[in-house]
Amino acid sequence: AQSVTQLGSHVSVSEGALVLLRCNYSSSVPPYLFWYVQYPNQGLQLLLKYTSAATLVKGINGFEAEFKKSETSFHLTKPSAHMSDAAEYFCAVSEVNSGYSTLTFGKGTMLLVSP
Amino acid sequence: GAGVSQSPSNKVTEKGKDVELRCDPISGHTALYWYRQSLGQGLEFLIYFQGNSAPDKSGLPSDRFSAERTGGSVSTLTIQRTQQEDSAVYLCASSLIGSGSGDTQYFGPGTRLTVL
């Protein structure tokens, strides 16, 4: 069975600082991995996804994530935080199950950005 | 183009009442998913539709929950005899194919259900 662990339910950074949100997964097959962002009172928006084409994946809003098989990790980074990045971030793993894919989500990490 | 839409955006109901939540997927998407997001439980998978059929209902928490999809498009999630523990945000997502792990799911804004 697949699972996702996000370290830290809350991460606080200053505006302009590096953002690092951690995600570790377990999967019995090569995974597909996703990062979604959720702004208050909104649905989930796809930031980026890993589908084995390249280990470093670039997404929207300046975010990127690196797939490291040896560490079973898919951490999300952004060089310089903006106030508008404050939101909740979810890491998810996808596996094929009886011919279709399902997403298993981590618990989420709330990113707080201070001026 | 239009994304996934859900209605109502907010629903307040009394314990014991039935509620219906609606999801309009992205046009042309054959796969549709329902999730529940609640404090302490995170995002839980409820049910998956491929076309009008639901090959996986394993996530439905009890027999008070049911869902249907008609015309390969609109889906409704029905909760009968609502309980306070049903209070949550119900999210709908759709994807183009459903099969294949790289298929991206696109989410709607959710319906916030409050059971008093």
Side-chain angles (χ1 to χ4, degrees), chain B residues 27-63:
Chain B
S27 178
H29 280 194
T30 61
L32 186 147
Y33 309 78
W34 283 98
Y35 295 85
R36 178 168 72 173
Q37 185 176 26
S38 54
L39 288 174
Q41 296 297 320
L43 279 151
E44 304 171 89
F45 166 78
L46 296 179
I47 188 169
Y48 158 76
F49 286 93
Q50 181 64 259
N52 291 335
S53 65
D56 188 351
K57 304 178 182 180
S58 63
L60 294 178
S62 76
D63 58 8

Side-chain angles (χ1 to χ4, degrees), chain A residues 44-99:
Chain A
L44 277 68
Q45 179 183 2
L46 180 69
L47 274 178
L48 50 82
K49 69 177 183 181
Y50 166 75
T51 57
S52 76
T55 57
L56 183 62
V57 182
K58 294 188 182 298
I60 62 171
N61 301 337
F63 285 93
E64 63 182 36
E66 186 174 7
F67 172 70
K68 292 187 176 180
K69 183 178 179 181
S70 61
E71 298 177 7
T72 60
S73 69
F74 190 56
H75 301 331
L76 182 70
T77 60
K78 182 174 180 177
S80 176
H82 292 174
M83 296 295 290
S84 60
D85 294 327
E88 191 160 21
Y89 292 79
F90 292 91
C91 181
V93 62
S94 172
E95 282 186 354
V96 175
N97 189 353
S98 300

Side-chain angles (χ1 to χ4, degrees), chain A residues 30-32 34 36 38 41-46 49 51 88 90 94-97 99-107, chain B residues 33 35 37 40-43 45 48 50 55-56 89 91 95 98-110 112:
Chain A
Y32 290 85
F34 302 77
Y36 283 87
Q38 186 176 34
N41 300 313
Q42 294 187 27
L44 277 68
Q45 179 183 2
L46 180 69
K49 69 177 183 181
T51 57
E88 191 160 21
F90 292 91
S94 172
E95 282 186 354
V96 175
N97 189 353
Y100 61 91
S101 58
T102 59
L103 284 176
T104 299
F105 288 89
K107 294 290 188 185
Chain B
Y33 309 78
Y35 295 85
Q37 185 176 26
Q41 296 297 320
L43 279 151
F45 166 78
Y48 158 76
Q50 181 64 259
D56 188 351
V89 175
L91 292 166
S95 67
S99 61
S101 294
D103 201 23
T104 298
Q105 295 183 26
Y106 297 89
F107 284 79
R112 182 175 298 276

